[in-house]
Amino acid sequence: MKKLETKTMVGAAFFTALGVLFPQMFHLFGAVNGRVFLPMHIPVLLCGFLCGKRYGALCGLIVPLISSAATGMPVLYPTGLSMMAELAAYGFMAGLLSERFSVYPSLIGAMLAGRAVSGAANLMLLGMAGNAYSLEAFVSTAFLTAAPGIAIQLVAVPLLVTSLRRAGLAGFLYPVKS
């Protein structure tokens, strides 16, 4: 059991590092808008699927924090705090739902839960700053602007989870239903 836990922690650390690295790679190639392509989301979702709900939540919580401290992106308040809540929900729900469901339903459930948490966090954080946050703003940022990133997630995450499982690399981290 101890060996499995160590491998799971190493896997979670790997996905955390990818969560910080991916946005930098997107910026390097000129794709500067993280709100469109959502480069932090894929490693966090993979962490939830492959390392479980606890590590997925922790990965989601700390990736925006580390990225903000190391690169200044995202700006910590309010965007970074909102992303910390959103990505923690992604990682947790991907792990939780994958214990019971296959990849696609788990992914869709995690994506919807993360967006709901993001909306609630933005409502609270922006309200505390005296700014309005409307349903229209939520739908626009969470779904319309993010449509390319959502499409990438819907293709890449199931493909990666399935491929890692077939290669025998997911079983040592966390059992995932296909």
Side-chain angles (χ1 to χ4, degrees):
M1 183 67 176
K2 189 171 189 136
K3 188 175 183 179
L4 176 64
E5 186 71 17
T6 300
K7 288 181 178 184
T8 304
M9 288 189 326
V10 170
F14 173 74
F15 291 121
T16 300
L18 285 181
V20 176
L21 181 64
F22 274 14
Q24 298 311 307
M25 290 175 25
F26 272 71
H27 287 286
L28 185 66
F29 293 107
V32 294
N33 195 338
R35 292 181 183 189
V36 173
F37 296 108
L38 312 172
M40 285 184 185
H41 295 137
I42 290 175
V44 171
L45 286 163
L46 290 173
C47 187
F49 275 110
L50 301 174
C51 300
K53 60 190 173 210
R54 291 182 308 143
Y55 288 109
L58 183 60
C59 177
L61 186 68
I62 65 174
V63 162
L65 185 62
I66 293 170
S67 183
S68 181
T71 69
M73 298 178 298
V75 175
L76 193 55
Y77 184 85
T79 308
L81 294 178
S82 174
M83 286 182 70
M84 289 170 67
E86 174 188 16
L87 292 178
Y90 276 136
F92 180 81
M93 293 305 292
L96 178 70
L97 294 172
S98 69
E99 292 173 0
R100 175 166 243 190
F101 303 104
S102 63
V103 176
Y104 273 107
S106 298
L107 175 61
I108 291 168
M111 291 169 71
L112 290 173
R115 281 173 174 71
V117 168
S118 174
N122 280 318
L123 182 64
M124 183 182 71
L125 292 168
L126 292 172
M128 287 172 39
N131 298 321
Y133 187 69
S134 66
L135 180 60
E136 181 180 297
F138 168 69
V139 170
S140 176
T141 57
F143 295 99
L144 301 179
T145 302
I150 291 169
I152 291 168
Q153 290 171 20
L154 289 171
V155 172
V157 172
L159 180 65
L160 289 167
V161 169
T162 303
S163 296
L164 288 169
R165 288 188 72 218
R166 286 189 182 146
L169 297 174
F172 75 86
L173 292 174
Y174 188 75
V176 179
K177 294 184 185 297
S178 56

